């Protein structure tokens, strides 16, 4: 391997100017400041006959961004092929439900759930990971799918605990400080809640990014990458693969649990457990692969592109299709009927043309371009 | 009690045959390429749609007796051919260019292909055919006409039901599996397949065209899936565009339980899984089916990752 490849991924000295200008953290910080402008964008969209509510949609994107970043810890950093991230997302959501709804005696409220959900999801990660992480790559993939299916079935069927397909509700809403309530004014509680949700999700996402940037540089972060590149060599250098893998798995699970907690809070329900199924896991994986495995920037951009596509572009395309076809009632005149076509083709095309994703970590890019013969 | 158990045995065996046929496709591809063909279940699904379309276009329901038997044989062969061609084309167009890429690339592509095929199934279900309910609701399950007589072979008064279709499913599956066994153990192609699975590089050095062996494997696997699809449709009488996902995962579970890459193992795993499914549906409840089957998968993978018949294969470093 050349000396160049040994420098840390995305080392700032080598990044082009535009990359530095639009670094992940700066874009997220800009989001903090741009909030007051969103109603203007909404008004413009309204003029075009489209109800946008940019802030609501961004909250969804931030939550999924957090989930993609969580998957990035497992798949991108440590190379653990996890195809069931939605299970931990679901555990986070369900834990939030149990901790806050009327039905249970806990009533931890918003902040309590925000702390407790990741802990529980992380614990689940340890419990699932400890016996299974020694399995070879594709077996692990199958176990994670299997776990996701088991969890979904259990959540649907244990109706007296989880309220089945209806989901536990109402989940506690975000805690809104008095000052914010007065600031928004008009007695419109939902606006104030949305504002708080926006900043909470954004700041948590930002903290996760900053935290992971630090982790990338630490001993543990380098151990993740070493393990992904060559488990045998890493073990020979004195790393304990089992413990490092478990750390990555549990860490990712905890972050996914945090995302799940925010998801449930945002919806004020734990929702139908089918929201935490294999399709959702694959959607998140698709975000990560589109953006670039192992790269925080890629993870977030992947989430922005695909989830944004689902949330903003696909309703727009729906309208377009219906205008085009003229028959609004036909099921194929809805874009959602073609959605998996787009995702499927995107995955296939990415693997063929640019397997490292749009904004890859340099090291991953090099790995993916070495053929089996070189390896 | 005896009758319930015997009945579940019959259901389990017939279901298990379908699992086994699909599992064979997974296991053969995995044995050679070490890659999980996630799209395999969807080839199964598309073949079922193909069969239903044939049934609708020919209007098979109006025929009886020997003519019906001939037509059904024709549909089975056509669907098997369809599955084989689809599977081969997927390999040629998507997987083959990635043969030298790291493992992640074909796996992710396979997931992509799976979604693509599911979407094709959805659109296929929108065809304005009477068998598709006019195509107005593409996502709704389509009922596959009851073509085989449903008389009880054990007599109308018996507490146990054994229909012609049960016998046919088991008999036809056994015949196909025997043919596959002979193909793999007695022919030159089978020998080449086994050699390639053991060590592709050494096989190439011995003059085996491994590309062709892989293509043949996809062809055979797809054919088995197509065959299984008709059997399934005739037996369950419902097809829908997502049937490939769950049945595919179950079949894959069967392959893993038997020891992935191991051909007798896939059959054993399929039968075992079919039986477990029948009994858990009866005694635990059908709504727990995925939890039971995938629970078994996890337990087997944790305690015996090589499956029941597989030898502990080391990961090729």
């Amino acid at each position: 391997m050349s000396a160049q490849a040994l420098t840390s991924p995305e080392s700032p000295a080598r990044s082009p100017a535009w990359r530095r200008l639009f670094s992940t953290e700066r874009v997220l910080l800009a989001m903090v400041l741009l909030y007051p402008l969103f109603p203007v964008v909404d008004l413009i969209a309204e003029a075009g006959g489209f109800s946008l509510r940019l802030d609501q949609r961004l909250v969804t994107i931030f939550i999924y961004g957090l989930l993609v970043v969580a998957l990035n810890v497992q798949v991108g950093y440590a190379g653990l092929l996890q195809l069931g991230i939605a299970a931990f997302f679901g555990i986070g959501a369900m834990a939030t439900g149990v901790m806050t709804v009327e039905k249970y005696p806990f009533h931890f409220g918003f902040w309590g759930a925000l702390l407790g959900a990741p802990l529980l999801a992380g614990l689940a990660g340890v419990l699932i990971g400890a016996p299974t992480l020694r399995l070879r790559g594709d077996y692990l993939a199958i176990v994670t799918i299997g776990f996701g299916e088991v969890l979904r079935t259990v959540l649907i069927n244990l109706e007296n605990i989880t309220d089945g397909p209806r989901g536990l509700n109402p989940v506690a809403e975000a805690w809104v400080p008095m000052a914010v309530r007065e600031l928004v004014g008009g007695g419109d509680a939902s606006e104030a809640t949305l504002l708080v949700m926006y900043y909470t999700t954004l700041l948590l996402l930002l903290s996760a990014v900053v935290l992971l940037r630090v982790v990338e540089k630490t001993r543990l972060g380098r151990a993740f990458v070493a393990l992904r590149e060559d488990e045998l060599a890493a073990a020979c250098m004195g790393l304990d693969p089992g413990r490092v893998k478990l750390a990555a798995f549990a860490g990712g699970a905890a972050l996914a649990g945090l995302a799940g907690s925010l998801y449930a809070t945002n919806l004020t329900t734990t929702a139908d457990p089918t929201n935490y199924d294999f399709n959702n896991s694959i959607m998140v994986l698709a975000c990560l692969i589109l953006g670039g495995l192992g790269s925080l920037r890629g993870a977030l951009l992947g989430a922005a592109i695909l989830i944004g596509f689902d949330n903003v572009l696909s309703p727009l395309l729906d309208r377009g299709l219906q205008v085009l076809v003229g028959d609004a009632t036909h099921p194929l005149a809805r874009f959602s009927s073609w959605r998996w076509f787009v995702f499927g083709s995107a995955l296939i095309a990415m693997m063929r043309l640019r397997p490292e994703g749009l904004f890859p970590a340099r090291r991953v890019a090099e790995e993916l371009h070495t053929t089996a013969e070189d390896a | 009690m005896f009758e319930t158990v015997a009945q579940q045995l019959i259901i389990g065996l017939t279901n298990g045959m379908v699992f086994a046929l699909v599992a064979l496709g997974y296991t053969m591809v995995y044995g050679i390429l070490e890659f999980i063909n996630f799209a395999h279940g969807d080839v199964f699904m598309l073949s079922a749609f193909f069969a239903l379309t044939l049934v609708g276009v020919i209007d098979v329901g109006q025929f009886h007796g020997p003519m019906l038997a001939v037509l059904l044989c024709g549909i089975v062969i056509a669907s098997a051919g369809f599955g084989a061609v689809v599977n081969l084309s997927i390999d040629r167009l998507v997987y083959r260019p990635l043969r030298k890429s790291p493992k992640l690339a074909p796996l992710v592509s396979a997931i992509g292909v799976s979604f693509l095929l599911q979407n094709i199934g959805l659109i296929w279900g929108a065809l304005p055919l009477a068998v598709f309910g006019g195509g107005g609701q593409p996502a709704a399950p389509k009922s596959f006409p009851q073509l085989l007589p449903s008389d009880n072979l054990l007599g109308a008064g018996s507490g146990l039901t054994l229909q012609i279709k049960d016998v046919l499913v088991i008999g036809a599956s056994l015949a196909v599996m025997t043919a596959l066994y002979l193909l793999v153990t007695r022919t030159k192609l089978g020998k080449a397949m086994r050699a390639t699975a053991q060590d592709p590089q050494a096989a190439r050095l011995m003059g085996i065209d491994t590309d062709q062996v892989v293509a043949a494997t996809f062809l055979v696997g797809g054919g088995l899936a197509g065959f299984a699809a008709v059997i399934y449709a005739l037996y369950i009488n419902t097809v829908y565009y997502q049937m490939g996902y769950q049945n595919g995962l179950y079949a894959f579970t069967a392959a893993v339980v038997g020891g992935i890459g191991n051909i007798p193992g896939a059959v054993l795993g399929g039968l075992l899984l079919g039986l477990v499914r029948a009994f858990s549906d009866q005694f635990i409840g059908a709504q727990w089916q995925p939890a039971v089957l995938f629970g078994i998968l996890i337990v087997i993978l944790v305690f015996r990752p090589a499956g029941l018949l597989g030898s502990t294969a080391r990961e090729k470093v």
Side-chain angles (χ1 to χ4, degrees):
Chain A
M1 190 178 279
S2 67
Q4 189 189 0
L6 291 172
T7 54
S8 80
E10 293 182 64
S11 82
R14 290 176 196 281
S15 307
W18 66 269
R19 272 201 140 186
R20 260 172 289 146
L21 190 64
F22 291 106
S23 81
T24 315
E25 290 87 342
R26 281 191 203 197
V27 171
L28 288 180
L29 274 176
M31 291 292 203
V32 174
L33 303 176
L34 286 177
Y35 187 80
L37 290 180
F38 291 162
V40 182
V41 181
D42 288 345
L43 277 179
I44 296 171
E46 198 90 47
F50 182 64
S51 163
L52 186 62
R53 279 319 302 247
L54 193 58
D55 44 1
Q56 271 176 18
R57 295 180 199 270
L58 276 172
V59 169
T60 310
I61 293 179
F62 293 154
I63 292 173
Y64 273 94
L66 205 53
L67 190 56
V68 179
V69 166
L71 187 66
N72 186 38
V73 175
Q74 301 175 332
V75 184
Y77 291 166
L80 303 168
L81 196 47
Q82 145 86 299
L83 297 182
I85 190 75
F88 298 102
F89 188 56
I91 289 176
M94 200 45 75
T96 305
V98 171
M99 282 185 229
T100 61
V101 289
E102 202 61 27
K103 183 174 165 178
Y104 288 97
F106 306 113
H107 308 298
F108 286 162
F110 174 62
W111 296 114
L114 215 49
L115 206 69
L119 280 178
L120 278 175
L123 188 68
V126 173
L127 290 179
I128 296 304
T132 57
L133 283 172
R134 66 194 170 84
L135 296 173
R136 43 200 280 189
D138 27 16
Y139 277 26
L140 180 68
I142 294 300
V143 166
T144 53
I145 295 180
F147 174 66
E149 290 292 302
V150 171
L151 185 86
R152 183 177 59 89
T153 315
V154 170
L155 288 184
I156 289 180
N157 287 325
L158 286 181
E159 252 187 273
N160 39 12
I161 298 178
T162 64
D163 281 359
R166 279 168 291 131
L168 291 169
N169 62 72
V171 169
E173 286 196 335
W175 172 78
V176 182
M178 220 39 221
V180 175
R181 213 178 291 268
E182 276 161 19
L183 185 76
V184 175
D188 194 347
S190 71
E191 287 297 310
T193 313
L194 187 58
L195 180 79
V196 172
M197 265 323 272
Y198 179 85
Y199 278 107
T200 315
T201 48
L202 178 55
L203 290 177
L204 281 173
L205 179 61
L206 189 60
S207 334
V209 167
V210 172
L211 176 77
L212 288 175
R213 279 259 194 268
V214 174
V215 169
E216 275 179 7
K217 301 261 185 321
T218 61
R219 196 182 157 85
L220 186 65
R222 283 178 288 133
F224 289 158
V225 175
L227 206 65
R228 179 191 71 209
E229 296 207 334
D230 193 333
E231 183 169 341
L232 197 63
C236 292
M237 294 297 160
L239 283 178
D240 179 348
R243 285 177 62 178
V244 176
K245 281 183 186 178
L246 198 57
F249 200 73
L255 265 179
L258 179 67
S261 177
L262 290 168
Y263 182 76
T265 308
N266 191 36
L267 294 179
T268 68
T269 163
T270 57
D272 184 343
T274 46
N275 281 322
Y276 314 119
D277 69 356
F278 180 62
N279 277 343
N280 208 336
S281 297
I282 292 304
M283 176 89 179
V284 177
L285 184 69
C287 292
L288 183 57
I289 283 170
L290 179 73
L293 280 172
S295 136
L296 285 167
R297 175 205 301 271
L300 291 182
L301 272 167
I305 293 171
L306 278 191
I307 308 295
F309 178 88
D310 240 15
N311 272 278
V312 184
L313 210 57
S314 109
L316 271 175
L317 285 172
D318 263 2
R319 284 177 57 91
L321 258 177
Q322 289 183 355
V323 170
L324 207 70
V325 181
D327 174 16
T329 53
H330 196 276
L332 291 189
R334 271 195 298 274
F335 177 72
S336 52
S337 300
W338 302 86
R339 186 167 168 255
W340 293 107
F341 231 110
V342 175
F343 290 146
S345 318
L347 284 180
I348 297 168
M350 283 307 287
M351 284 299 114
R352 183 73 164 273
L353 304 172
R354 206 175 151 84
E356 71 272 27
L358 296 174
F359 302 91
R362 179 177 297 125
R363 201 191 288 262
V364 175
E366 279 180 20
E367 270 170 57
L368 283 168
H369 278 293
T370 51
T371 58
E373 257 95 344
D374 304 335
Chain B
M1 186 64 196
F2 164 75
E3 275 166 358
T4 323
V5 171
Q7 190 68 63
Q8 296 313 317
L9 272 175
I10 296 174
I11 295 177
L13 274 182
T14 40
N15 270 328
M17 286 294 173
V18 175
F19 286 158
L21 288 169
V22 182
L24 282 169
Y26 279 108
T27 230
M28 289 173 72
V29 167
Y30 192 95
I32 289 182
L33 295 177
E34 289 212 333
F35 132 77
I36 304 167
N37 183 8
F38 268 105
H40 191 69
D42 300 295
V43 173
F44 167 79
M45 177 273 296
L46 279 188
S47 305
F49 271 73
F50 180 77
L52 182 57
T53 311
L54 283 184
V55 167
V57 170
I58 307 176
D59 196 9
V60 177
Q62 59 176 334
F63 295 98
H64 297 284
M67 192 59 198
L68 177 67
V70 171
L71 277 177
L72 276 183
C73 283
I75 288 175
V76 167
I77 292 169
S79 301
F82 174 82
V85 170
V86 169
N87 215 23
L88 181 68
S89 326
I90 295 170
D91 176 52
R92 199 38 79 79
L93 296 173
V94 182
Y95 304 147
R96 194 165 163 184
L98 299 174
R99 211 74 96 206
K100 284 174 182 157
S101 314
K103 266 183 171 177
L104 183 71
L107 189 77
V108 172
S109 301
I111 295 172
V113 173
S114 164
F115 284 146
L116 216 60
L117 296 187
Q118 278 186 39
N119 215 147
I120 291 176
L122 182 69
I123 292 159
W124 196 330
L127 288 183
L129 285 175
V131 278
F132 290 140
Q137 284 175 317
K142 322 279 177 232
S143 68
F144 195 95
Q146 183 95 34
L147 294 172
L148 297 172
S150 53
D151 310 325
N152 190 352
L153 293 179
L154 300 176
S158 169
L160 203 59
T161 320
L162 180 69
Q163 295 177 6
I164 291 185
K165 59 183 185 181
D166 296 317
V167 178
L168 267 182
V169 167
I170 297 177
S173 306
L174 284 179
V176 167
M177 286 168 194
T178 314
L180 179 74
Y181 178 76
L182 292 179
L183 171 79
V184 174
T185 53
R186 299 289 159 83
T187 65
K188 210 168 174 181
L189 175 65
K191 204 176 217 173
M193 282 178 170
R194 281 178 291 139
T196 311
Q198 208 169 49
D199 190 335
Q201 205 174 358
R204 269 196 297 277
L205 288 173
M206 297 297 125
I208 294 170
D209 184 347
T210 48
D211 277 339
Q212 237 167 31
V213 170
V214 171
T217 308
F218 272 94
L219 207 63
V220 171
L224 290 172
F227 174 75
V230 186
I231 297 272
Y232 175 92
L234 282 172
Y235 185 69
I236 307 283
N237 297 113
T238 313
V239 303
Y240 56 105
Y241 79 106
Q242 282 175 320
M243 69 188 247
Y245 162 64
Q246 188 148 56
N247 285 297
L249 272 185
Y250 285 167
F252 183 78
T253 305
V256 172
V257 167
I260 191 139
N262 185 314
I263 290 178
V267 176
L268 178 72
L271 291 181
L272 214 60
L273 219 66
L275 288 173
V276 168
R277 183 170 107 159
F279 282 100
S280 89
D281 280 5
Q282 175 71 25
F283 296 110
I284 303 177
Q287 75 273 26
W288 288 98
Q289 195 189 82
V292 172
L293 293 191
F294 291 117
I296 290 176
L297 171 74
I298 295 175
V299 169
I300 294 245
L301 277 180
V302 169
F303 291 105
R304 200 174 155 77
L308 296 176
L309 295 188
S311 52
T312 8
R314 294 234 117 235
E315 190 157 8
K316 291 174 188 163
V317 187

